[in-house]
Amino acid sequence: MANEEDDPVVQEIKPKQQKVELEMAIDTLNPNYCRSKGEQIALNVDGACADETSTYSSKLMDKQTFCSSQTTSNTSRYAAALYRQGELHLTPLHGILQLRPSFSYLDKADAKHREREAANEAGDSSQDEAEEDVKQITVRFSRPESEQARQRRVQSYEFLQKKHAEEPWVHLHYYGLRDSRSEHERQYLLCPGSSGVENTELVKSPSEYLMMLMPPSQEEEKDKPVAPSNVLSMAQLRTLPLADQIKILMKNVKVMPFANLMSLLGPSVDSVAVLRGIQKVAMLVQGNWVVKSDILYPKDSSSPHSGVPAEVLCRGRDFVMWKFTQSRWVVRKEVATVTKLCAEDVKDFLEHMAVVRINKGWEFVLPYDGEFIRKHPDVVQRQHMLWTGIQAKLEKVYNLVKEAMPKKPDGQSGPARLVSGDQRVQVAKTKAQQNHALLERELQRRKEQTQPSSVLPGVRIKEEPVSEEGEEEEEQEAEEPMDTSPSGGLNSRLANGLPAGRAAGGDSFNGHPPPGCASTPVARELRAFVEATFQRQFVLTLSELKRLFNLHLASLPPGHTLFSGISDRMLQDTVLAAGCKQILVPFPPQTAASPDEQKVFALWESGDMSDQHRQVLLEIFSKNYRVRRNMIQSRLTQECGEDLSKQEVDKVLKDCCVSYGGMWYLKGTVQS
């Protein structure tokens, strides 16, 4: 190369360990030695003529070369042990070589074969040509070699191989195992000080000494082969944190009872910590734990069958899990019809948690675990809260008709079915007639408890009879599940013949909060949650507030005071008492928003400089369902009496509104 001197040396790589070759003689007189094969190998390697450069001078393969290879890069954790007279003597090793047969003679045989073929071709061509053409030869003189070029040549592989081949052999003499020389060398492996007084270094515990003798090697851990994704080593699993162990087990098993999970994790693991960790990666279905959908389908993944994104897959699998909370049987066609997913994806969902039964459908793979339900009621109650939120989301996405949740949150009732409005009214009327006597007794009992303690002197309570039509409406409302109530039974939804949201058990008293209710621990905790929530989000619908409250309940420890039951009316009263106002947004006549979605609450005063701007904005939306930005900006300028900057208007809109189709809506009120 012309610019060879200008090319700098970037890095010099030197061999860590010299290669060792050992040449050993082969016993050609042994009956197991094949003489004809040995002669053939020698002929292929050296040819017919034997000289000083021949590999096998006896025209017979009478020797074998062994070449060393490095077994490990870290030999500090290995030692040679010698056991003698009840004592174990250890000698540290500084190098380990493994000798393997070298087949370099085969390369020589191939080279000889190519030379013979080339010679034969040259002989044939010389017979055909009478005389070779005269060719012009260009003579070039080599330029002086630079220092960098010489260093590169010396470090090249070809030069090292040539130097290695030129290295002379050193003749060795072998001594047998029983030879005196071997016995003398073996004495160096024995520790000269055998008395216990001299061994002053061995003062550590056996475990500490073993750790010093065999420290963990990071290099060898990196070199370990990676196991397939479907292979799980329990030894490696128990070296991970508890949360990772639970996640890996649930991801591989999909469905597992809590007792089986504890047996896999080991007897020394705390069950409370396992309960806390399992709720992060799994959901409770019929007393058993099923891995969450977002664990199996991460955010950026997609279906291998249809290419559907992970969000749609998680929603469809959640629907299957929710169906199993209500029944032990699920029909595949029904799931495919509702979720609009392909048959392969639906089959994958069902195979995760169910087994197919001929002419029946898919049955949940594990039996109902009543023992876990009895032992951990707080966990069951919290999981029921989560399933209530998931049910509300699924009903909105898939346009399902609401059904009463089963009395047991783990789902042992019959399969869910879609019913019409007339059927629901008829069912409500039948239940009202059956429970009329029970409700009358409950009403009388509550009157006796309330009158002496709660009624103020001189205050008369007006009682109105409940008509048959009103009774139907109330019973129909009782048929609907309470989103924020932890119980799903009829007695918890109805009290004194009124819906639970208006029951006398702590919600209201003649339209006003009961005396002293603001000082109870439940009221204080609820007030703190409402204030913290509205400080983060200035505008919330009742539906979104209840969803956030359910998530808050799921994050609380078992036995918290808020698990005593919070009704819709109590939640709304707390919101109004916390300085919020209800915004009467004029929804369109044919809106698809539910009654809870039409109840909009906003924080009226937060204490910052934007309070006045937000109040003007909220007054605009109390008269308009959707507004254009220029109208908002002109109204703000008119009311505040100053020219607001674009950043200030953007902040107010970001706090309270969302944009959709070029129009601005209050948060939670837009209907796509």
Side-chain angles (χ1 to χ4, degrees):
M1 299 291 292
N3 57 350
E4 189 174 4
E5 297 181 358
D6 300 333
D7 189 10
V9 178
V10 178
Q11 184 181 6
E12 294 184 4
I13 302 176
K14 297 182 179 180
K16 295 182 179 179
Q17 193 172 14
Q18 296 292 336
K19 183 182 292 187
V20 178
E21 289 187 354
L22 179 64
E23 189 178 88
M24 300 182 65
I26 299 178
D27 185 8
T28 58
L29 300 179
N30 192 291
N32 296 324
Y33 181 80
C34 181
R35 191 173 185 87
S36 61
K37 192 67 175 178
E39 292 176 351
Q40 183 63 41
I41 293 176
L43 179 63
N44 294 338
V45 173
D46 298 329
C49 300
D51 52 15
E52 296 179 354
T53 61
S54 299
T55 304
Y56 305 109
S57 57
S58 62
K59 297 186 179 181
L60 192 68
M61 184 180 178
D62 55 356
K63 57 186 176 181
Q64 174 69 54
T65 303
F66 292 87
C67 184
S68 68
S69 62
Q70 189 175 4
T71 56
T72 179
S73 59
N74 183 13
T75 59
S76 61
R77 58 184 303 178
Y78 295 96
L82 186 63
Y83 185 78
R84 179 168 294 186
Q85 297 179 358
E87 296 177 347
L88 182 64
H89 299 259
L90 299 177
T91 303
L93 299 179
H94 300 286
I96 301 176
L97 294 179
Q98 183 179 11
L99 296 176
R100 296 180 179 179
S102 175
F103 302 98
S104 57
Y105 60 88
L106 296 179
D107 298 334
K108 295 182 179 180
D110 292 341
K112 289 283 185 181
H113 180 68
R114 286 193 296 269
E115 289 177 1
R116 285 193 296 268
E117 288 185 350
N120 293 335
E121 292 178 0
D124 296 339
S125 61
S126 62
Q127 295 177 3
D128 297 337
E129 297 178 0
E131 184 178 357
E132 293 183 357
D133 296 336
V134 178
K135 296 182 179 179
Q136 183 178 0
I137 299 176
T138 303
V139 180
R140 295 182 180 179
F141 296 94
S142 61
R143 52 191 265 175
E145 187 178 28
S146 63
E147 182 64 22
Q148 293 183 351
R150 189 189 69 79
Q151 290 181 1
R152 284 196 297 271
R153 181 177 60 81
V154 170
Q155 296 176 5
S156 64
Y157 176 78
E158 183 181 359
F159 180 82
L160 294 176
Q161 287 293 103
K162 182 179 179 181
K163 186 178 180 181
H164 177 72
E166 294 174 353
E167 183 179 355
W169 286 93
V170 178
H171 294 278
L172 303 176
H173 183 71
Y174 173 74
Y175 295 94
L177 180 64
R178 303 298 179 185
D179 193 89
S180 60
R181 182 64 181 269
S182 299
E183 183 65 27
H184 175 74
E185 293 292 335
R186 199 178 299 116
Q187 294 297 323
Y188 290 109
L189 299 177
L190 298 176
C191 181
S194 59
S195 62
V197 180
E198 298 180 2
N199 296 334
T200 57
E201 295 182 0
L202 302 179
V203 294
K204 298 183 180 295
S205 63
S207 59
E208 293 176 341
Y209 180 69
L210 287 176
M211 183 61 67
M212 293 174 59
L213 182 64
M214 297 185 63
S217 176
Q218 297 180 355
E219 296 182 1
E220 293 195 358
E221 288 179 0
K222 294 179 181 178
D223 296 338
K224 288 181 181 179
V226 180
S229 59
N230 59 342
V231 176
L232 189 64
S233 171
M234 294 301 297
Q236 295 181 0
L237 179 69
R238 289 178 178 173
T239 61
L240 300 175
L242 180 61
D244 294 340
Q245 294 185 43
I246 297 174
K247 182 177 180 180
I248 292 174
L249 284 172
M250 291 306 304
K251 189 174 181 180
N252 282 269
V253 182
K254 309 290 190 306
V255 184
M256 190 185 306
F258 185 74
N260 291 12
L261 180 62
M262 291 298 299
S263 64
L264 290 174
L265 294 176
S268 61
V269 180
D270 184 17
S271 61
V272 177
V274 177
L275 274 175
R276 192 181 302 113
I278 190 66
Q279 296 182 68
K280 298 179 181 179
V281 297
M283 296 291 293
L284 191 65
V285 178
Q286 299 191 22
N288 302 282
W289 292 98
V290 182
V291 64
K292 288 184 177 180
S293 302
D294 55 357
I295 301 296
L296 296 179
Y297 303 106
K299 186 175 181 181
D300 297 331
S301 63
S302 60
S303 169
H305 306 294
S306 59
V308 173
E311 182 181 359
V312 181
L313 293 176
C314 291
R315 195 162 54 225
R317 188 175 180 274
D318 287 345
F319 176 75
V320 175
M321 294 170 62
W322 173 71
K323 293 288 288 183
F324 277 119
T325 62
Q326 304 188 42
S327 172
R328 287 197 58 82
W329 298 91
V330 168
V331 181
R332 177 177 170 181
K333 290 183 178 180
E334 179 185 354
V335 176
T337 304
V338 174
T339 60
K340 302 295 190 297
L341 292 173
C342 67
E344 291 78 7
D345 289 334
V346 176
K347 185 178 180 182
D348 286 347
F349 300 157
L350 294 171
E351 288 178 345
H352 289 169
M353 62 193 83
V355 291
V356 63
R357 305 295 186 191
I358 300 176
N359 297 330
K360 290 186 177 180
W362 290 78
E363 184 184 11
F364 193 70
V365 67
L366 295 177
Y368 171 75
D369 192 352
E371 183 179 359
F372 179 85
I373 301 298
R374 290 190 300 270
K375 287 184 177 180
H376 307 280
D378 293 340
V379 177
V380 175
Q381 189 178 22
R382 186 181 306 176
Q383 288 292 309
H384 178 58
M385 295 288 184
L386 294 176
W387 277 121
T388 303
I390 293 175
Q391 180 192 11
K393 186 185 298 183
L394 294 175
E395 288 173 348
K396 185 175 181 180
V397 172
Y398 294 130
N399 296 324
L400 302 177
V401 177
K402 284 190 175 181
E403 297 182 33
M405 290 292 288
K407 291 184 179 181
K408 291 184 179 180
D410 46 81
Q412 278 295 96
S413 62
R417 55 191 179 88
L418 302 179
V419 296
S420 64
D422 295 338
Q423 291 175 334
R424 294 178 64 84
V425 172
Q426 186 63 31
V427 170
K429 186 184 297 185
T430 304
K431 287 187 176 182
Q433 294 173 357
Q434 294 174 354
N435 298 312
H436 181 71
L438 176 64
L439 296 176
E440 286 291 338
R441 289 195 298 269
E442 180 69 16
L443 176 60
Q444 187 64 28
R445 185 181 66 83
R446 287 185 176 271
K447 283 182 180 180
E448 294 174 357
Q449 293 178 355
T450 305
Q451 285 177 358
S453 59
S454 300
V455 179
L456 300 177
V459 178
R460 298 174 60 188
I461 302 175
K462 180 181 178 181
E463 298 182 2
E464 297 181 359
V466 181
S467 64
E468 182 179 357
E469 182 180 358
E471 185 177 347
E472 293 177 6
E473 294 176 356
E474 291 162 1
E475 289 298 329
Q476 185 175 354
E477 183 178 355
E479 185 70 12
E480 300 291 339
M482 288 290 293
D483 290 343
T484 59
S485 174
S487 175
L490 177 63
N491 293 335
S492 65
R493 294 194 299 266
L494 285 177
N496 298 342
L498 298 175
R502 292 175 288 173
D507 281 354
S508 64
F509 187 81
N510 288 348
H512 299 282
C517 69
S519 60
T520 61
V522 177
R524 288 195 298 269
E525 290 287 341
L526 185 60
R527 177 72 174 265
F529 162 76
V530 169
E531 291 178 349
T533 302
F534 276 93
Q535 285 293 336
R536 293 192 303 268
Q537 305 182 36
F538 293 93
V539 178
L540 286 171
T541 62
L542 180 59
S543 175
E544 179 65 13
L545 181 61
K546 287 159 65 175
R547 187 187 70 83
L548 295 175
F549 182 65
N550 283 330
L551 294 177
H552 178 65
L553 286 178
S555 65
L556 295 177
H560 196 273
T561 56
L562 285 181
F563 283 109
S564 59
I566 304 298
S567 64
D568 289 1
R569 182 62 179 274
M570 186 175 181
L571 184 62
Q572 295 179 62
D573 291 343
T574 306
V575 170
L576 297 176
C580 301
K581 289 189 177 182
Q582 183 174 358
I583 310 301
L584 302 178
V585 180
F587 281 83
Q590 283 129 15
T591 180
S594 63
D596 286 347
E597 292 175 342
Q598 295 185 32
K599 294 181 180 179
V600 184
F601 297 92
L603 182 62
W604 197 250
E605 293 183 356
S606 64
D608 59 6
M609 300 178 61
S610 301
D611 281 346
Q612 183 181 3
H613 304 158
R614 278 193 293 269
Q615 292 170 9
V616 174
L617 182 65
L618 295 174
E619 290 178 357
I620 295 175
F621 279 101
S622 65
K623 301 176 182 178
N624 302 275
Y625 173 62
R626 55 183 181 179
V627 187
R628 294 190 179 275
R629 180 189 174 95
N630 55 3
M631 178 182 174
I632 295 175
Q633 190 156 4
S634 62
R635 181 69 179 276
L636 286 173
T637 303
Q638 178 183 355
E639 295 291 337
C640 298
E642 56 183 3
D643 293 334
L644 297 178
S645 62
K646 181 178 182 299
Q647 289 76 11
E648 292 175 326
V649 177
D650 290 342
K651 181 182 184 306
V652 176
L653 292 175
K654 182 180 179 182
D655 291 343
C656 305
C657 305
V658 292
S659 177
Y660 183 77
M663 304 295 288
W664 288 88
Y665 302 78
L666 275 184
K667 287 184 177 179
T669 62
V670 60
Q671 301 294 321
S672 57

